Amino acid sequence: MKYYSTNKKAPIADLHKAVVKGLAEDRGLYMPEIIKKLPKEFFDNIEKFSFQEIAYQVADAFFGEDVDADSLKKIVYDTLAFDCPVVEVEPNIYSLELFHGPTLAFKDVGARFMARLLQYFVRQEGKEEVNVLVATSGDTGSAVANGFLGVEGIHVYVLYPKGKVSKIQESQFTTLGQNITALEVDGVFDDCQALVKSAFMDEELNKHMKLTSANSINVARFLPQAFYYFNAYARMKEKGLADKLVICVPSGNFGNITAGLFGHEMGLPIHRFIAANNANDIFYNYLQTGEYKPQPSKATIANAMDVGDPSNFARIYDLYKGNHDAITAYISGATYKDDQIAETMKQCYNDTKYVLDPHGACGYRALKEQLKPGEVGVFLETAHPAKFKEKVDSILGSDIEIPARLAEFMKGKKQSIEMTKDFASFKNYLMNE
């Protein structure tokens, strides 16, 4: 499979280059030249397959030309050592629970897959260490750090905004040591993301060390997230509820919903998508006006969605060839302020006893407001509510239990390096590593 840049000015890349490089030379995002349709028989029988069997078929369509079958199967099965179940919250509204992995967030799927695929390529090369740069607004850092922890030949640098991630999230990537370094940036998520992108474009730095990204700009991070959309469809088909299935995705950097849209292009019969934003409503405004206007990100209680210039908008725009009508025909939007998110969490808990995290609450509310007669909705519950325990407890007036594996992270000692948002300082640090 060949990959081109969304900016159309960089050389065509193979999968190896797209994964190891992360970002194209013209600062564009890599896109596969072909999105293969899966056969009708696959969808006719999909409910009979396990999550891992489904995911392997999807992975083979993207990566099968570049990774041998046995290695790809091992990568997929190792990645999905946990389930992503669909759970009924109330009639016609279901939660796709993506928090059953090691760091209790949806990004475990993409991060674990990418770690294993990158190691596959590193072993083929058998020499130079690869340095992974990842900006995080919360869950990406923990998922990537734990997905890559102890992987030989790879060092991970996690850049996160000081004071703007939860204590539990912070503990998941600042307490690990080994091949994981946490950089505490005096700024917001967009500053962290800008540092990562600038690093890839710096010729001197790239001569000094081999760099790649584990953010959703990397094809090996965002494409595997298509796996659980196929699984959600299969599990809903088992229930006889897949005819008019609406998927609602809490959206920040838009890698997650983009993976779902790729699934649809492969033939997955999702009726339509809803992109649910917090107060960072850049995509919502684009849907209304046709104009994409990035803004400085705003801090909210759904912090993983605090993104003012979502990178993967470029992929959505490219996928639909810039046709605003085509995008709005298939994707609708929603935007909620903090008080609305909190109100939704309380309402859902009081009515159903289901505990939403602040991000899932955006997805649940958008379905409640936009689901039409005859449709069934699935929203993505992207992280375990205990990752935001202080907020959730104060909103619900409860004391939710912290899962044992999450509590273990809290016992570790924080190790981080403070960093300004100035690229010269960041570059100087890496040049001396």
Side-chain angles (χ1 to χ4, degrees), residues 59 78 88-89 102 133 163 226 234 251 254 310-311 326-327 415 420 424:
D78 282 354
E88 184 176 16
V89 177
L133 305 181
S251 298
F254 277 76
S311 289
I327 294 171
Q415 305 169 64
T420 71

mmCIF file of all heavy atoms in Angstrom, residues 59 78 88-89 102 133 163 226 234 251 254 310-311 326-327 415 420 424:
data_model
loop_
_atom_site.group_PDB
_atom_site.id
_atom_site.type_symbol
_atom_site.label_atom_id
_atom_site.label_comp_id
_atom_site.label_asym_id
_atom_site.label_seq_id
_atom_site.Cartn_x
_atom_site.Cartn_y
_atom_site.Cartn_z
ATOM 1 N N ALA A 59 -7.482 -5.253 9.442
ATOM 2 C CA ALA A 59 -6.043 -4.960 9.403
ATOM 3 C C ALA A 59 -5.408 -5.471 8.111
ATOM 4 O O ALA A 59 -4.547 -4.807 7.530
ATOM 5 C CB ALA A 59 -5.344 -5.588 10.607
ATOM 6 N N ASP A 78 -2.347 -9.693 19.868
ATOM 7 C CA ASP A 78 -1.681 -9.137 21.055
ATOM 8 C C ASP A 78 -2.288 -7.786 21.433
ATOM 9 O O ASP A 78 -2.454 -7.476 22.616
ATOM 10 C CB ASP A 78 -0.178 -8.945 20.796
ATOM 11 C CG ASP A 78 0.604 -10.249 20.877
ATOM 12 O OD1 ASP A 78 0.001 -11.268 21.243
ATOM 13 O OD2 ASP A 78 1.806 -10.237 20.560
ATOM 14 N N GLU A 88 -26.075 -1.773 26.904
ATOM 15 C CA GLU A 88 -27.293 -0.964 26.832
ATOM 16 C C GLU A 88 -27.351 0.012 28.006
ATOM 17 O O GLU A 88 -27.159 -0.374 29.162
ATOM 18 C CB GLU A 88 -28.539 -1.847 26.846
ATOM 19 C CG GLU A 88 -29.825 -1.044 26.670
ATOM 20 C CD GLU A 88 -31.077 -1.904 26.595
ATOM 21 O OE1 GLU A 88 -31.014 -3.091 26.984
ATOM 22 O OE2 GLU A 88 -32.124 -1.387 26.156
ATOM 23 N N VAL A 89 -27.577 1.278 27.712
ATOM 24 C CA VAL A 89 -27.746 2.298 28.745
ATOM 25 C C VAL A 89 -29.232 2.572 28.955
ATOM 26 O O VAL A 89 -29.712 2.666 30.083
ATOM 27 C CB VAL A 89 -27.000 3.602 28.360
ATOM 28 C CG1 VAL A 89 -27.241 4.693 29.406
ATOM 29 C CG2 VAL A 89 -25.506 3.330 28.223
ATOM 30 N N PRO A 102 -5.373 -1.701 29.202
ATOM 31 C CA PRO A 102 -4.480 -1.490 30.350
ATOM 32 C C PRO A 102 -4.508 -0.095 30.947
ATOM 33 O O PRO A 102 -4.289 0.056 32.144
ATOM 34 C CB PRO A 102 -3.087 -1.803 29.800
ATOM 35 C CG PRO A 102 -3.231 -2.124 28.368
ATOM 36 C CD PRO A 102 -4.670 -2.208 28.018
ATOM 37 N N LEU A 133 7.699 10.768 19.574
ATOM 38 C CA LEU A 133 7.218 11.994 20.211
ATOM 39 C C LEU A 133 5.704 11.948 20.241
ATOM 40 O O LEU A 133 5.070 11.724 19.205
ATOM 41 C CB LEU A 133 7.673 13.234 19.439
ATOM 42 C CG LEU A 133 9.171 13.405 19.185
ATOM 43 C CD1 LEU A 133 9.418 14.714 18.436
ATOM 44 C CD2 LEU A 133 9.951 13.390 20.491
ATOM 45 N N GLY A 163 -0.520 21.059 34.429
ATOM 46 C CA GLY A 163 -1.726 21.397 35.181
ATOM 47 C C GLY A 163 -3.031 21.201 34.433
ATOM 48 O O GLY A 163 -4.089 21.582 34.929
ATOM 49 N N ALA A 226 -10.353 1.740 13.706
ATOM 50 C CA ALA A 226 -11.512 1.270 12.936
ATOM 51 C C ALA A 226 -12.001 -0.082 13.456
ATOM 52 O O ALA A 226 -13.188 -0.420 13.289
ATOM 53 C CB ALA A 226 -11.153 1.154 11.451
ATOM 54 N N ALA A 234 -21.037 -5.564 14.586
ATOM 55 C CA ALA A 234 -21.254 -7.009 14.720
ATOM 56 C C ALA A 234 -22.082 -7.332 15.952
ATOM 57 O O ALA A 234 -23.021 -8.148 15.900
ATOM 58 C CB ALA A 234 -19.908 -7.736 14.782
ATOM 59 N N SER A 251 -15.287 13.991 20.208
ATOM 60 C CA SER A 251 -14.213 14.300 19.257
ATOM 61 C C SER A 251 -13.332 15.443 19.723
ATOM 62 O O SER A 251 -13.835 16.497 20.124
ATOM 63 C CB SER A 251 -14.819 14.640 17.887
ATOM 64 O OG SER A 251 -15.531 13.535 17.377
ATOM 65 N N PHE A 254 -9.891 14.303 16.370
ATOM 66 C CA PHE A 254 -10.667 13.713 15.280
ATOM 67 C C PHE A 254 -10.059 12.472 14.642
ATOM 68 O O PHE A 254 -10.513 12.024 13.590
ATOM 69 C CB PHE A 254 -11.006 14.766 14.204
ATOM 70 C CG PHE A 254 -12.216 15.580 14.570
ATOM 71 C CD1 PHE A 254 -12.127 16.580 15.520
ATOM 72 C CD2 PHE A 254 -13.442 15.326 14.002
ATOM 73 C CE1 PHE A 254 -13.228 17.316 15.894
ATOM 74 C CE2 PHE A 254 -14.563 16.052 14.366
ATOM 75 C CZ PHE A 254 -14.461 17.050 15.299
ATOM 76 N N PRO A 310 -7.880 20.678 15.261
ATOM 77 C CA PRO A 310 -7.789 19.218 15.164
ATOM 78 C C PRO A 310 -7.062 18.750 13.907
ATOM 79 O O PRO A 310 -7.487 19.030 12.786
ATOM 80 C CB PRO A 310 -9.253 18.757 15.161
ATOM 81 C CG PRO A 310 -10.062 19.970 14.851
ATOM 82 C CD PRO A 310 -9.274 21.145 15.312
ATOM 83 N N SER A 311 -5.975 18.030 14.096
ATOM 84 C CA SER A 311 -5.130 17.608 12.979
ATOM 85 C C SER A 311 -5.894 16.789 11.944
ATOM 86 O O SER A 311 -5.702 16.952 10.737
ATOM 87 C CB SER A 311 -3.951 16.771 13.496
ATOM 88 O OG SER A 311 -3.039 17.573 14.185
ATOM 89 N N ALA A 326 -21.089 16.776 1.069
ATOM 90 C CA ALA A 326 -20.887 15.345 1.297
ATOM 91 C C ALA A 326 -20.589 15.068 2.772
ATOM 92 O O ALA A 326 -21.065 14.077 3.341
ATOM 93 C CB ALA A 326 -19.747 14.831 0.414
ATOM 94 N N ILE A 327 -19.812 15.952 3.368
ATOM 95 C CA ILE A 327 -19.476 15.783 4.782
ATOM 96 C C ILE A 327 -20.705 15.960 5.661
ATOM 97 O O ILE A 327 -21.003 15.135 6.536
ATOM 98 C CB ILE A 327 -18.351 16.765 5.193
ATOM 99 C CG1 ILE A 327 -17.045 16.414 4.471
ATOM 100 C CG2 ILE A 327 -18.136 16.766 6.709
ATOM 101 C CD1 ILE A 327 -15.931 17.427 4.625
ATOM 102 N N GLN A 415 7.999 11.405 37.693
ATOM 103 C CA GLN A 415 9.277 11.785 37.092
ATOM 104 C C GLN A 415 8.953 12.569 35.825
ATOM 105 O O GLN A 415 8.447 12.002 34.859
ATOM 106 C CB GLN A 415 10.092 10.548 36.709
ATOM 107 C CG GLN A 415 10.335 9.558 37.837
ATOM 108 C CD GLN A 415 10.902 8.250 37.321
ATOM 109 O OE1 GLN A 415 12.016 8.227 36.776
ATOM 110 N NE2 GLN A 415 10.170 7.167 37.463
ATOM 111 N N THR A 420 9.525 24.735 28.493
ATOM 112 C CA THR A 420 8.731 25.856 27.988
ATOM 113 C C THR A 420 8.097 25.437 26.659
ATOM 114 O O THR A 420 8.450 24.398 26.091
ATOM 115 C CB THR A 420 9.582 27.117 27.755
ATOM 116 O OG1 THR A 420 10.423 26.893 26.614
ATOM 117 C CG2 THR A 420 10.429 27.443 28.987
ATOM 118 N N ALA A 424 12.894 26.232 20.445
ATOM 119 C CA ALA A 424 14.355 26.227 20.590
ATOM 120 C C ALA A 424 14.781 25.462 21.839
ATOM 121 O O ALA A 424 15.768 24.701 21.824
ATOM 122 C CB ALA A 424 14.883 27.661 20.632
#
